[in-house]
Amino acid sequence: MVSPFTLVPEQGIEIRRGRMTAVATPAWLSISPVTLFTTRTWVRIRYRSSFFDDPVRPLLRFTTRSGEVLHDAMTGAFAGGGEWIGRVPPGTMAVSVSPVTRTGQFDFTLESVEPVSPLHLFWRGLFQAWKWTAGSVIARLLNARREARQALRFAGTATPLSDYHRWMQTRSRDFDPAGLDAPRFDWTTGPTTRLLLSLNAAEDQDVRALLTSLQRQAYARWVLYLVRPNDGAMPAFVTELVENEPRCRTVTDIADIVPDIAAGDWLSILPHHARFPDHALACLMEHAARNPDARLIYGDEDAVDASGRLHAPILKPDWSPLFEQTVGYLGDAVFLKAPEAGADGLLSTLWPNPRVESRHIAMTLPPGAVSHLRRPLLRRLSPVDALAAHPAVQSPEPPADPSSWPRVLIVVPTRDRCSLLRRCVQGLRERTDYPDFHCVIVDNDSREPDALALLKSLQADARFTVLHRPGPFNFSALSNDGARSLPSDVIVFLNNDVEMLSADWLRALVKPALRPQTGIVGALLEFPNRKIQHAGVVLGLGGDAGHIYHSEPVATRGYLGQLTGEREVSAVTAACVAIERKKFEAVGGFDEVNLPVELNDIDLCLRLSERGFVHVLTPHARLIHHESASRGFKTNGYTVYARERAYFDARWAQVIRDDPYFHPALSLYFLRPALG
């Protein structure tokens, strides 16, 4: 049953000429009546936003009677609509939503708030994520209630990528030019989108379908150029199309297009089998108007089969140069802004290999000039499963080794568990071919005789120093003390429960850390059973931050080929990371006051990101991680570390809601990419 409600500006939002406008961030709307939530335990919220707003994840805020403030990020309205399923915190007194992360006009509305049965999630989870369902039951039996609720969300709220068509049916809506999607600038005088299609491979039905999709566009300023061979006769169907549609033209030389091009027009070379969703060009032009510095815009893609079934979504990250070099993920939905002069050079560069040349152009553009439009801009006609959900992996030239390797200080906090530390030390001695490193073992009150004996024996090795730091376990303080103990150019933080697999692991970790723009470099970590423990951190995953691909087989290529080479990530785990000392010290190291145990590595990454540094996950450094073996595993982590999680949430809620390298259409409650 749909319930009535209102959205009232609460903070940073004004109503101007009848439209909501964010005048400051964070921008909040209060939802009333609050009884829509307080009379239910689990709810489903359906909402809509304009196609012309960035589909950032809306952020919910629950305020309870005790004064506790809890945030929860929803899925971005990728296809115009979105859905969130979650539990209303007990004692909720007020509920607010933050729909945007930037100032300016926006359009957002709630459609419904409905009760959801936990039993429904339980049964759904049995079929798609039975381990999480079982985990929910076990946590409930152990009276770990929050952990049980969290496991239930992981079990029953995500949708597999293979069910994209069904997911789109419940999230997509019609284009609404008189309402949510009213134009925000004068479309009759806007730039023209100039599209090129080679007739060499295109069939009659392909060209007709493309032209039909263009004729349905809400934004009408486009021209389609059909490029035919010099020695080829004009196909009869082309003559027919050109006669009936003045915006469809033929050329034999791309230079013939140049006189048509005005500065500010947008150019794209299309693959055969291309189609455009009805709102695609309107979204493109509104995005260009909202991002005037953009010179290359790329969008997401999907496919449709002959029966009209959608499949194979390609949901791309925001601009990621390293990942582009490895995979070439920009794909075909790429549009370049015509310059004031030199359009002929731009076209001749792109033709006839636009994928490769678009990458080269993107690599030369300044920051902010490459912009990701996080909506489906291009659709291919393709049988189900014929189009892989990731591009082909490239083979980029590996960067050269530095002329001289910098001195590295390896910091290893430890307490007892001699077998773990011995294996780690053995790996440093026998499976590390790095030419210049020193290791400081930061001992936190080891008491076991064999551990004390091992620490004493290390004093005879000039490459090792033991630093004694007794007291309550504080990973941040132990790591900071270790980093300060000796000089070095690069610091590597290494857990004592890590085991080396190959001797070049440290070189692979340090090399990308030396790039000026790189913040922290993380390794790909495996469990002893050859499953992935860490392959990068996604902000907001599980509420705060989590390890994507956790427990997947180590041979996994990853969605879009993410695990086939270095890629940008928002954060990495400190179990094995490298960072230049000057960058680490510039932000004050780990936060030992507010985050002594949990989330300190994510916090460090985010503080570095504030300064413009980009973090890297490299699969070329692979190690085994016996996770949390030295301090134990806690089933009630939410309770034990509640203070740290509350601080982290208050500090970073507006940041972790929208990881730039994890598409907002993807679920934050599944450990491999799935639809939210």
Side-chain angles (χ1 to χ4, degrees), residues 648-664:
F648 183 85
D649 182 62
R651 172 73 170 85
W652 297 113
Q654 291 290 335
V655 175
I656 64 175
R657 68 187 286 183
D658 195 41
D659 189 321
Y661 306 114
F662 193 73
H663 199 283

Side-chain angles (χ1 to χ4, degrees), residues 348 444 502 546 565 671:
S348 61
N444 180 223
S502 62
L671 293 182

Side-chain angles (χ1 to χ4, degrees), residues 548-567:
I548 195 69
Y549 300 111
H550 189 278
S551 296
E552 292 293 303
V554 294
T556 299
R557 287 171 45 89
Y559 180 58
L560 306 183
Q562 286 179 330
L563 303 185
T564 58
E566 289 182 2
R567 78 180 198 279

Side-chain angles (χ1 to χ4, degrees), residues 31 53 105 114 119 203 228 230 314 341 406 417 429 556:
I31 306 174
D53 294 322
Q105 179 185 324
E114 305 166 344
L119 190 60
E203 301 289 341
R228 58 190 178 89
N230 286 320
I314 301 178
R417 302 302 298 271
R429 284 171 165 167
T556 299

Side-chain angles (χ1 to χ4, degrees), residues 500-531:
M500 293 70 186
L501 289 172
S502 62
D504 63 349
W505 71 273
L506 188 51
R507 294 176 187 262
L509 203 64
V510 169
K511 186 191 298 186
L514 303 179
R515 300 170 191 149
Q517 72 276 18
T518 299
I520 302 180
V521 180
L524 195 150
L525 303 177
E526 306 174 7
F527 286 117
N529 65 357
R530 303 289 291 167
K531 297 293 181 71

Side-chain angles (χ1 to χ4, degrees), residues 68-69 544 599 641-651:
E68 186 179 17
V69 177
D544 299 314
L599 298 167
Y641 304 117
R643 184 185 68 83
E644 288 160 272
R645 290 182 179 275
Y647 168 82
F648 183 85
D649 182 62
R651 172 73 170 85

